[in-house]
Amino acid sequence: REERPEEREEPPTGEASPGPGPRTEPLDEPMAPEEPPTEAEPPPRTEERAPWQEPPRAGEREEGPPPPEEVRPEVEEPWEPAPVEADEPEEEEPSVRGLDEPPAVPEPEEPPTDEDLEAAAEHFAASLRVEEERAEGAEEEPPTPGRVEQEILADLEQPPAPRTVQVGREGLGGPSWQEPTAVEVGLEGEARPPGRDVPAAFLTGLVLAALAIGSLAVSKTAFAAVAGVLVLVAQGELYAVMHRRHLHPATAVGLITGGLVLAAGYAKGEAAMLAMLGLGTIAVYLWYMAAPASARRDVTTSVGLTMFPVVYVALLAGYALTTLALPTPPDGRALLLAVLGLTFVYDTAAFVVGYFWGSRPLAPTVSPKKSWEGAIGATLVVIAVSVGIVASAVPALEPVGRSVGLGIVVALFAPLGDLAESLLKRDLGVKDMGSILPGHGGVLDRIDSVLFVAPAALVFFRLVLT
């Protein structure tokens, strides 16, 4: 019998094809399906047949699981979002791969030392000061020695200097136990134009001379009291400049010691002044011993800065009060008045001669405006005034040798005192120690020459008049 092609029925995958007769024989190899399975589909399952089972007849399907093409295995579903995973951005892959890597274990750090903590605190304090200065609208930094030298060499027609930032209090307050970060920031007043206001300086000198002569006319004690107040103001000006430079002297202890030194010099003489100076040194050490431990920094520097104004201002000025207290004869009033008058004459003559004829600087790195011509001219003027006026007014100096000797002492030590203060101002970066005296600056700017002349003149009197 011929078999029609259209009546042939393909057996399912893995089944035996029917034979020509009514019974079909199982094939040794299963027929391959018409469409091969996709990569996502697993190969179809084949069911093993027991030997006693009969093969299915033609046109009948074997009972069992559905054909492989109708059964969708469960493993197909996870592969469906595969195209979506391919579209994900590549930048996420490093983060996913980073999860597989073990996290880095930081190495243990050593605890900071005390020096590191102090350095960090100082750096933090400096940053706070810079932020506070910017908040106040500052335009320039605090004056430096280079800027002060430019201002000193400037012409009189130069416009006023811009506003500057002043850190710390300018006053006569006590020593600072506070940390460096607890300073106050304030703007200083308008800077004084460079150069000396000659009319104001002349009037100020006349007022001071009248005050000195008037108090001397009243009594020695009255002059000692007025002079003591002015000297303490000058000492406080030096402390104030130190505080503006972020230094921390014990201001209160220094001023009290200075007052005791002045009183001792007027009442008991040179030996008593040195005794008060020693007691003041002990008081400064006790002061810093009582300070909190956190504020006890740079004690050596602070002790030195506290005692330096006592020695430089109070002790040297105390020799003038010792001269005032000399017994009669000789008259202490006349001797002190001669010393103060000749010193005032020297300063005035040196300024006038140097202003008109000065060309060679006396100390260009310390005070460029002082000249050799001014120093020589002032020396000649002082000797002439001492011989012509002082010798006739003060009986103890009537001999020419004594009057000439006093004139030479004043001519030697007056410029040294002026140069010494200029050296300090240049180091501290200021032009004047204060502004209380018009045309002169501070009190210390006015009495700087007297501070060096007073002890030298007392020694001269001790040698000549004894």
Side-chain angles (χ1 to χ4, degrees), residues 424-440:
L424 284 180
K425 292 189 293 186
R426 186 172 296 276
D427 180 69
L428 294 174
V430 296
K431 184 178 181 181
D432 294 323
M433 288 295 181
S435 58
I436 191 174
L437 299 179
H440 293 279

Side-chain angles (χ1 to χ4, degrees), residues 1-209:
R1 183 190 299 177
E2 294 182 2
E3 183 179 0
R4 297 181 181 180
E6 59 272 11
E7 292 181 358
R8 182 181 299 176
E9 183 178 357
E10 294 292 337
T13 304
E15 296 179 1
S17 58
R23 299 178 63 91
T24 59
E25 296 290 339
L27 298 179
D28 298 336
E29 295 181 0
M31 296 182 63
E34 294 181 359
E35 297 181 2
T38 60
E39 296 179 0
E41 295 179 359
R45 299 178 180 178
T46 57
E47 184 178 357
E48 297 180 358
R49 189 182 305 277
W52 60 84
Q53 290 181 349
E54 296 180 0
R57 297 180 181 180
E60 293 182 359
R61 290 185 178 181
E62 183 182 1
E63 294 182 0
E69 60 271 16
E70 295 181 1
V71 177
R72 296 187 178 274
E74 297 179 358
V75 293
E76 292 182 0
E77 296 181 359
W79 290 94
E80 292 180 359
V84 180
E85 295 179 359
D87 296 338
E88 292 181 359
E90 298 179 358
E91 54 268 16
E92 296 182 359
E93 294 181 359
S95 62
V96 176
R97 288 194 301 267
L99 296 177
D100 299 336
E101 300 176 359
V105 180
E107 299 180 358
E109 298 181 357
E110 298 181 357
T113 61
D114 296 340
E115 290 77 5
D116 297 338
L117 295 177
E118 292 180 0
E122 293 179 359
H123 179 73
F124 180 69
S127 63
L128 287 182
R129 284 194 294 268
V130 172
E131 293 179 359
E132 291 177 356
E133 291 175 2
R134 292 178 179 176
E136 291 289 339
E139 297 180 0
E140 290 187 3
E141 297 179 357
T144 59
R147 291 175 50 196
V148 174
E149 182 176 358
Q150 294 178 0
E151 293 178 359
I152 294 176
L153 297 177
D155 297 330
L156 295 176
E157 293 80 11
Q158 186 176 354
R163 298 171 68 92
T164 57
V165 174
Q166 176 182 356
V167 181
R169 282 190 186 273
E170 180 182 2
L172 306 181
S176 176
W177 279 356
Q178 57 192 0
E179 294 293 335
T181 56
V183 295
E184 297 183 5
V185 180
L187 287 177
E188 193 179 16
E190 292 293 337
R192 189 167 56 86
R196 175 179 292 187
D197 188 354
V198 178
F202 181 73
L203 292 176
T204 303
L206 290 180
V207 172
L208 292 176

